[in-house]
Structure formats: C-alpha cells, structure tokens
C-alpha cells in the first residue's frame, strides 16, 4: 500500500472530524454552548475511530496474519503516537504551572491520573479525568490496533464467517448502548463505544473487498455519484445535528456508510475532498486532537476564575483566531515533531526488524 494510494477523501473527512472536535471543545466555553449541535460534536470522535479502523485494516490486515509481525506493528503504533503525545503533555504541564502560580490551583491534582494519561491508559479511567478530553481517541486507536492485530492473527478478518461474527458483535454493542440493556459505567461505555467504532471501520474494509459490493458501489456512484454523496453528507450532518439521548450509539453505523460512499473518487464531492487543502487537514488530524487543548485549557481556566458571563462573548468572537492557531500549532507539530520522529522510527524499525517490509504507519 503506497502513501499516494492512501490519500483519498477519507483522509480529508478525518481531518474535518478532528477539527470539528476541536471546535466543539472551544464552543462549549462560548455563547453557543447550549446549542444541541455543539454538544453533539463529540460524536465525531466515533468518525475518527471508524476511519482509523479502516486505515489500519487496509494497511496491515494481510501482514498481520503472520504473528511474527505483531511486534513491529505494535511498536510502530506506540512510537507513532508517543512523541506528539508527550510534547502535548509537556506543554500542558507548563500551562498548568503558570495557572498554579496565578491562582494557587490547577488541573493536575492527582499523579495517578497524570501517569495514566502519559501511558495512554486514560481509556480505563472515568472520561472526565485527564488533561485532554479528546486524548482518549488516540489511546483508543492504539489499544484497538493491538486488539485488531491479534484478531488478524486468529484469522478473524480472513474468513467470511468470522467477519460476520464480528459484525454481529459490533451490532450487539451498539444495541446494548442504544437501549441501555445493561447498566454500564462511564468507563465500560467508553470501551464499548471505541470497540464498536474501530471494528466497524475495519469491517468496512472487509466488506468492500467483496467483489459484489465493490461492483455495486461503482455502478451506484457512476450513475448517481453526486446525488448519493450529497444525500450521505446531509444525512450525516443531520444525524450529528439532531441526535438525542442514546441515538448517538448508532454513530458507527452512520459513519461507516459515509466511509463506504466516499472511498471512490467518482463524483464532485469526493473530488472536492481530494483537493490539497482538505487533504492537508487529514495530515493534521492527529496533531489537531493533541494540540487544541493547549489553547482550550487557558480559556477554561479563565472562565472558571472570572465567570462564564464575563468571558463568553469575547471567547465567541475569538473563535476564528482559535481555529487558525490550532491549525498553525498542528502544522508546527507535524513539521518539527511528527515528521522527524516518524523518519527516526522507520529507521529504527528497519534495523530492529530487517526481514519485515514497511507498511503505512
């Protein structure tokens, strides 16, 4: 799988979803915080994980049938995320220290919580704990990738019957969350949520590998491509806008359908998503998730100390500047942290695993 082939509309969708999550974090401090759509932007986290599941499956599912490749794969995922993750925590510690000097109080009051965040273990904690509420997405992708690797080794993605069992598992998780069939803790609900989203994305790859489904999608997009894409985009936007109660549990299904439709660059919307600007959003998706809270946290600190009524309007007016700063910081993080560490990672992995070919990280 070449890097060029991987640059498809789904990369832009992942970047847009990440930017939407970052925007939602900021708007919760503004006059728009009570708008239902703003509160529902957290559903885009499922979209990010669905896309991650698809990309990991497409890049690694065949290679991971050999258990000897799990070691390289697991290490590559950890090293892929760790540098920017650690840099983000270091920036937070600096900001938190300044906050303590100003007011005598900060966010970091529990070393165990800090250690869990540093070690990507926050997915096993209450969702409200930790320095970056969206960092659980990165931890989720990391742990789900490892689970996926073992599933591939066991043949779960290679056999049609096994894929049907996994589809059944995903559907069961979604129904449990949707109808409250069992009493779930916030941690259990979070674990089930990310499992359903990641494996829904991975199973989309298995589905499009079917010649019948692939042929059907090509015919549909050839004859009605623009209409289908427009309908799916509007339906997905409407779902995020109008979702209430436990309806958000079906997000993996909704986003999986959107993913399938935009896998082929056949119509106007897909071509637009394949443009260089939106593709760059895809490149910045992980940095956006990791760096945006460096800006949100100081604003939240000021709101807590000086009152929402005083700062809501100024923060609302600063929203465009916030988005520009998020993109600028993300670009800097990519150029000076992510790219250099990725090159170093590949050089080290090639020495440590000389007999294994390189796959997309």
């Amino acid at each position: 799988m070449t890097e060029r082939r991987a640059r498809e509309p789904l990369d832009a969708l992942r970047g847009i979803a990440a930017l939407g999550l970052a925007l939602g974090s900021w708007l919760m401090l503004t006059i728009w915080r009570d708008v239902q759509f703003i509160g529902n932007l957290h559903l885009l986290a499922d979209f990010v994980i669905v896309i991650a599941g698809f990309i990991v499956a497409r890049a690694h599912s065949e290679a991971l049938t050999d258990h000897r490749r799990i070691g390289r794969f697991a290490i590559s995922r950890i090293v892929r995320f760790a540098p920017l993750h650690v840099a983000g925590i270091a920036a937070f510690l600096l900001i938190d220290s300044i906050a303590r000097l100003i007011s005598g109080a900060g966010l970091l009051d529990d070393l165990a919580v800090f250690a869990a965040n540093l070690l990507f273990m926050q997915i096993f904690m209450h969702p409200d704990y930790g320095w970056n509420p969206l960092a659980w997405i990165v931890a989720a992708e990391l742990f789900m990738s490892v689970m996926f690797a073992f599933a591939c080794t066991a043949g779960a993605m290679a056999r049609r019957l096994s894929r049907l069992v996994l589809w059944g598992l995903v559907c069961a998780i979604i129904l449990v969350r949707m109808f409250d069939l069992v009493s779930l803790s916030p941690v259990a609900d979070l674990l089930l949520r990310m499992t359903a989203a990641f494996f829904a994305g991975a199973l989309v790859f298995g589905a499009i590998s079917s010649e019948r489904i692939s042929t059907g999608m090509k015919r549909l997009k050839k004859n009605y491509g623009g209409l289908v894409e427009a309908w799916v985009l509007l339906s997905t936007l409407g779902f995020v806008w109008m979702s209430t109660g436990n309806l958000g549990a079906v997000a993996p299904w909704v986003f999986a359908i959107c993913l399938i439709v935009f896998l082929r660059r056949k119509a106007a919307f897909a071509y637009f998503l394949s443009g260089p600007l939106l593709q760059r959003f895809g490149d910045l998706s992980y940095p956006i998730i990791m760096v945006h809270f460096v800006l949100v946290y100081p604003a939240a600190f000021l709101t807590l100390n000086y009152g929402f009524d005083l700062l809501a309007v100024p923060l609302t007016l600063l929203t465009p500047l916030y988005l520009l700063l998020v993109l600028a910081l993300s670009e800097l993080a990519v150029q000076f942290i992510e790219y250099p560490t990725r090159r170093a990672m590949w050089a080290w992995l090639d020495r440590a695993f000389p007999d294994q070919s390189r796959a997309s990280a």
Side-chain angles (χ1 to χ4, degrees):
M1 185 67 60
T2 66
E3 185 71 17
R4 181 179 180 85
R5 182 180 176 185
R7 297 179 66 82
E8 294 178 315
L10 64 90
D11 295 304
L13 290 173
R14 180 171 59 173
I16 293 171
L19 195 60
L21 287 168
L23 178 62
S25 296
W26 180 267
L27 291 180
M28 292 304 292
L29 303 173
T30 71
I31 61 175
W32 305 106
R33 68 174 182 175
D34 293 325
V35 176
Q36 179 174 303
F37 177 70
I38 303 304
N40 286 345
L41 285 176
H42 72 91
L43 294 174
L44 294 176
D46 296 71
F47 204 178
V48 173
I49 297 179
V50 166
I51 294 174
F54 175 85
I55 291 176
V56 170
R58 183 175 64 178
H60 301 283
S61 56
E62 293 184 5
L64 289 174
T65 54
D66 184 351
H67 71 276
R68 293 172 297 180
R69 295 180 180 270
I70 291 181
R72 177 188 173 112
F73 171 75
I75 293 174
S76 70
R77 301 308 291 172
I78 293 172
V79 179
R80 164 74 171 84
F81 293 131
L84 197 52
H85 175 67
V86 173
I89 289 182
F92 165 74
L93 287 176
L94 175 61
I95 296 171
D96 191 69
S97 299
I98 296 174
R100 289 177 181 276
L101 290 174
I102 295 174
S103 68
L107 186 62
L108 182 59
D109 296 317
D110 190 331
L111 290 178
V113 172
F114 172 75
N117 277 260
L118 183 63
L119 299 174
F120 296 103
M121 301 296 289
Q122 64 267 43
I123 56 172
F124 302 110
M125 306 185 325
H126 191 285
D128 293 336
Y129 294 162
W131 77 275
N132 182 347
L134 296 184
W136 72 267
I137 298 175
V138 179
E141 183 175 342
L142 176 60
F143 280 91
M144 288 298 101
S145 295
V146 175
M147 287 182 59
F148 174 78
F150 284 103
C152 288
T153 303
M157 292 298 296
R159 304 183 184 95
R160 181 178 300 178
L161 180 60
S162 298
R163 290 199 296 268
L164 289 175
V165 171
L166 285 177
W167 271 118
L169 176 62
V170 169
C171 292
I173 291 174
I174 291 173
L175 292 174
V176 164
R177 295 185 64 241
M178 184 176 181
F179 295 108
D180 288 333
L181 299 179
V182 295
S183 178
L184 297 176
S185 69
V187 175
D189 188 70
L190 185 60
L191 290 169
L192 290 178
R193 176 182 177 182
M194 67 185 184
T195 301
F198 189 92
F199 278 93
L203 288 167
V204 165
F205 174 73
I208 65 169
S209 299
S210 166
E211 183 176 351
R212 180 178 300 179
I213 293 178
S214 180
T215 301
M217 287 303 303
K218 288 180 180 179
R219 290 177 178 174
L220 183 65
K221 294 201 71 176
K222 180 179 180 181
N223 298 321
Y224 309 102
L227 292 176
V228 172
E229 290 176 357
W231 178 79
V232 168
L233 277 179
L234 291 175
S235 298
T236 303
L237 181 62
F239 170 78
V240 175
W241 190 293
M242 303 299 296
S243 180
T244 59
N246 294 336
L247 185 61
V250 305
W253 281 337
V254 175
F255 296 137
I257 293 172
C258 185
L259 183 62
I260 291 174
V261 169
F262 282 96
L263 282 174
R264 307 296 182 204
R265 287 187 279 184
K266 293 292 183 181
F269 289 100
Y271 277 115
F272 175 71
L273 290 171
S274 301
L277 177 60
L278 292 182
Q279 286 289 307
R280 192 56 184 169
F281 282 2
D283 295 335
L284 299 177
S285 58
Y286 170 48
I288 287 172
I289 289 173
M290 296 309 301
V291 308
H292 82 282
F293 208 69
V294 173
L295 300 174
V296 172
Y297 177 61
F301 173 80
L302 293 173
T303 299
L304 181 63
N305 283 273
Y306 296 101
F308 172 78
D309 293 336
L310 179 63
L311 293 175
V313 173
L315 291 178
T316 301
L317 297 175
L318 289 173
T319 300
L321 177 61
Y322 162 75
L323 291 175
L324 290 175
L325 288 175
V326 167
L327 292 174
L329 287 175
S330 299
E331 186 67 41
L332 290 174
V334 165
Q335 295 296 333
F336 295 103
I337 299 176
E338 191 169 16
Y339 285 170
T341 54
R342 186 183 299 183
R343 288 192 293 267
M345 175 194 74
W346 282 124
W348 180 82
L349 285 174
D350 287 340
R351 293 193 300 270
F353 302 89
D355 58 331
Q356 297 181 17
S357 60
R358 180 183 300 190
S360 174

